[in-house]
C-alpha cells in the first residue's frame, strides 16, 4: 500500500511531503489556489530554473527558498532532496512551465521519493498537451502523448507514422525552429491528414490552426513560426 497524503484531510499541514506542483504555461493567472498555498508554505522549492520560477514567486509574494533541479543535476539532486524530505522538510517540485515530469525534469525525484517511501501530493494544473487537446476539437476518448519528435528526419517520419498507425489522437510538442521541418514530414507521409497546430496557449497570440500539413506549412512559411507549439492529429483507432 502506498502512502499519499492526498487522501488526508489537509495535506498542506503535513511535513516530509514532496508536493508536485503545476505552474502556468504562459498566463501567470493560470495557477491554482492550492499551488499558491503550497508554494508559500514549503521549506524549499526545487525548480528547473530558479530565475524563471523567481518571476512567478515575485508575482505572488512567495518567499520560499529556491534550489535548482534540472536535467544535468537530476540524479545527485534527487538524492539530496529526498534526504531533506526524510529529515522533515516539505519540498515543492516545479518546472519552468506546466506539469513537472511532462517533458520536464521530475521523474527521477518522484521515483526516488516513491522508492524511499516519501509521502507525495500532487497539485495539478496547466499542461500544454492537455490544454491543446481540449482546444483541438479532436476526439478525446483515446489519445497518446509523444513529447518532442526525433531530430533526425528518418526517425521523425517513422515516429509520425507509428503514431498514426496506433490510432486515436496523437499529441506532439514542437519548437518554433523545427515546426516547418515537422510539417513538411507530415505532409509527405500523410498528405490528406488534417492536423491541428496550437500555438502560444494562454498567451496574447494564442491560436489554433487546422488543415492538411501542406496548407499549414504554406501558412508558417509566410508567417514565421514564433512561440510554443503543440501539434495534434487524429487517426481512426486500429483494432
Ligand atoms: N511541462 C510542460 C507541460 O506540462 O506542458 C511542457 C514543457 S516542454 C519543455 C515545453 C514544450 O511544451 C514547448 O516546446 C511546447 O511544445 C509546449 N508548450 C509549453 N507551453 C506552451 C504554450 N503556452 N503553448 C503551446 N505549447 C506550449
Amino acid at each position: 500500500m502506498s502512502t499519499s497524503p492526498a487522501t488526508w484531510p489537509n495535506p498542506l499541514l503535513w511535513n516530509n511531503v514532496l508536493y508536485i506542483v503545476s505552474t502556468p504555461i504562459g498566463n501567470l493567472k493560470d495557477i491554482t489556489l492550492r499551488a499558491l498555498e503550497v508554494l508559500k508554505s514549503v521549506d524549499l522549492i526545487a525548480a528547473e530554473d530558479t530565475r524563471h520560477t523567481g518571476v512567478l514567486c515575485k508575482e505572488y509574494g512567495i518567499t520560499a527558498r529556491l534550489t535548482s533541479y534540472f536535467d544535468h543535476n537530476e540524479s545527485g539532486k534527487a538524492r539530496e532532496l529526498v534526504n531533506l524530505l526524510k529529515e522533515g522538510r516539505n519540498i515543492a517540485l516545479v518546472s519552468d512551465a506546466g506539469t513537472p515530469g511532462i517533458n520536464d525534469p521530475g521523474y527521477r525525484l518522484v521515483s526516488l521519493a516513491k522508492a524511499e517511501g516519501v509521502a507525495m501530493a500532487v497539485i495539478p494544473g496547466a499542461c500544454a498537451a492537455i490544454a491543446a487537446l481540449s482546444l483541438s476539437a479532436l476526439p478525446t476518448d483515446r489519445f497518446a502523448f509523444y513529447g518532442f519528435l526525433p531530430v533526425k528526419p528518418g526517425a521523425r517520419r517513422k515516429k509520425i507514422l507509428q503514431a498514426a498507425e496506433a490510432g486515436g489522437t496523437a499529441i506532439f510538442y514542437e519548437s518554433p525552429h523545427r515546426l516547418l521541418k515537422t510539417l513538411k514530414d507530415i505532409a509527405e507521409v500523410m498528405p490528406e491528414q488534417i492536423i491541428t497546430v496550437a500555438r502560444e496557449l494562454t498567451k496574447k497570440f494564442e491560436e489554433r490552426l487546422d488543415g492538411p500539413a501542406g496548407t499549414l506549412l504554406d501558412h508558417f512559411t509566410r508567417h514565421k513560426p514564433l512561440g510554443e507549439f503543440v501539434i495534434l492529429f487524429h487517426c481512426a483507432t486500429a483494432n
Side-chain angles (χ1 to χ4, degrees):
M1 188 107 148
S2 61
T3 46
S4 170
T7 52
W8 301 345
N10 186 352
L12 293 177
L13 301 178
W14 292 83
N15 286 327
N16 308 61
V17 177
L18 174 63
Y19 293 97
I20 303 152
V21 182
S22 294
T23 57
I25 55 168
N27 190 322
L28 283 187
K29 289 184 178 163
D30 291 333
I31 185 141
T32 69
L33 297 175
R34 274 184 85 215
L36 290 176
E37 270 183 304
V38 166
L39 293 175
K40 282 179 181 172
S41 66
V42 289
D43 302 304
L44 190 62
I45 300 173
E48 183 181 4
D49 179 337
T50 52
R51 282 165 307 176
H52 192 99
T53 300
V55 175
L56 183 75
C57 290
K58 191 160 179 245
E59 175 77 14
Y60 289 106
I62 296 161
T63 54
R65 194 160 69 81
L66 290 162
T67 187
S68 64
Y69 174 78
F70 55 93
D71 277 348
H72 300 294
N73 77 353
E74 262 199 91
S75 300
K77 195 72 186 203
R79 163 53 55 204
E80 197 185 300
L81 293 170
V82 165
N83 289 346
L84 287 171
L85 285 156
K86 286 172 142 185
E87 284 167 18
R89 306 290 204 299
N90 276 334
I91 298 179
L93 167 67
V94 300
S95 63
D96 282 358
T99 300
I102 306 300
N103 265 109
D104 268 341
Y107 167 73
R108 281 197 184 84
L109 175 58
V110 175
S111 58
L112 184 64
K114 181 186 172 202
E116 305 250 339
V118 170
M120 290 186 266
V122 69
I123 315 295
C127 174
I130 299 300
L133 177 65
S134 52
L135 182 71
S136 69
L138 295 174
T140 53
D141 57 335
R142 183 166 177 254
F143 61 88
F145 171 62
Y146 294 93
F148 288 97
L149 282 160
V151 177
K152 291 192 179 155
R156 195 164 57 227
R157 275 180 224 139
K158 196 170 159 195
K159 192 75 183 174
I160 293 164
L161 281 173
Q162 279 172 348
E165 277 161 21
T169 296
I171 310 171
F172 303 93
Y173 283 165
E174 196 48 282
S175 68
H177 59 273
R178 289 235 304 270
L179 183 79
L180 295 182
K181 285 183 186 154
T182 296
L183 291 177
K184 191 163 170 282
D185 283 344
I186 300 176
E188 269 172 34
V189 298
M190 304 188 297
E192 311 288 319
Q193 177 69 48
I194 300 296
I195 68 161
T196 296
V197 170
R199 182 173 88 88
E200 290 288 87
L201 297 172
T202 77
K203 305 187 213 175
K204 187 174 177 189
F205 297 108
E206 171 176 313
E207 63 178 350
R208 196 198 80 218
L209 297 98
D210 313 283
T215 306
L216 299 187
L217 179 62
D218 286 347
H219 171 85
F220 284 109
T221 303
R222 283 180 282 110
H223 304 91
K224 188 176 184 249
L226 295 173
E228 302 193 276
F229 293 84
V230 183
I231 298 175
L232 310 93
F233 57 75
H234 178 263
C235 291
T237 302
N239 291 315

